[in-house]
Amino acid sequence: MEEQAYQQEASPEVRKRITESFERQGLMRHLGARLAHIAPGRVHIVLAGRPEVTQQHGYIHAGATSAIADNAGGYAALTLFPADADVLTVEYKINLLAPAVGDHIEAVGTVLKSGRTLTVCRLEVYGVQGGKRTLVATGQQTLICLS
């Protein structure tokens, strides 16, 4: 998909479907994650850096980083699925490139290939400190469309 397509917002119907699904996720609520951007084939999720989501060295925990990356990709895929469909992750791999530090982290899920049954997404997570973004994790994910 072209970068220009990611600048647009998803339709109100898609935004509502994504938001309602996201709000049903206990883990995202527990972590304090929030949807920051919903576009066709692209979703951003933000997680504030606070003591409750850190590990023993003060970095944002890899589990929290991975969870919001997984969700960003899943919801990016869902933006392109039929209105009556749902999504489940089949597999994902994430590489942790640097300690996740900052005011917050931002996961970006981007659809690489949307298929009738399987969809593949790129996952990126950035540490954001004072407006400066640093890539802290990258990965790839395969999802299944449930109708």
Side-chain angles (χ1 to χ4, degrees), residues 1-72:
M1 301 188 81
E2 294 180 16
E3 188 64 30
Q4 181 181 9
Y6 299 133
Q7 301 304 318
Q8 61 184 287
E9 290 286 324
S11 71
E13 297 80 18
V14 169
R15 290 182 55 76
K16 181 178 189 286
R17 182 165 49 120
I18 301 299
T19 301
E20 287 176 353
S21 176
F22 186 83
E23 289 173 353
R24 288 193 304 270
Q25 288 206 19
L27 180 60
M28 293 297 102
R29 187 173 41 257
H30 179 72
L31 291 174
R34 65 177 178 79
L35 289 166
H37 182 70
I38 304 169
R42 187 171 177 121
V43 168
H44 297 223
I45 297 175
V46 171
L47 177 64
R50 16 180 260 292
E52 295 84 359
V53 296
T54 60
Q55 42 86 296
Q56 72 275 17
H57 300 291
Y59 305 129
I60 296 173
H61 197 285
T65 301
S66 299
I68 67 168
D70 175 38
N71 272 266

Side-chain angles (χ1 to χ4, degrees), residues 101-104 127-134:
V101 295
D103 300 323
H104 65 275
V128 183
Q129 180 73 41
K132 181 181 177 215
R133 291 167 45 107
T134 303

Side-chain angles (χ1 to χ4, degrees), residues 1 6 14 17-18 21-22 25 28 33-46 64-81 86-94 106-115 117-126 137-145:
M1 301 188 81
Y6 299 133
V14 169
R17 182 165 49 120
I18 301 299
S21 176
F22 186 83
Q25 288 206 19
M28 293 297 102
R34 65 177 178 79
L35 289 166
H37 182 70
I38 304 169
R42 187 171 177 121
V43 168
H44 297 223
I45 297 175
V46 171
T65 301
S66 299
I68 67 168
D70 175 38
N71 272 266
Y75 285 120
L78 190 59
T79 66
L80 302 178
F81 289 177
D86 212 339
V87 64
L88 277 178
T89 300
V90 173
E91 63 84 29
Y92 75 100
K93 179 193 185 326
I94 194 154
E106 179 178 9
V108 180
T110 306
V111 173
L112 297 175
K113 170 75 169 83
S114 184
T117 305
L118 296 177
T119 295
V120 176
C121 292
R122 177 178 55 238
L123 309 174
E124 298 167 303
V125 183
Y126 298 89
T138 187
Q140 185 169 296
Q141 172 186 50
T142 304
L143 305 121
I144 190 164
C145 178

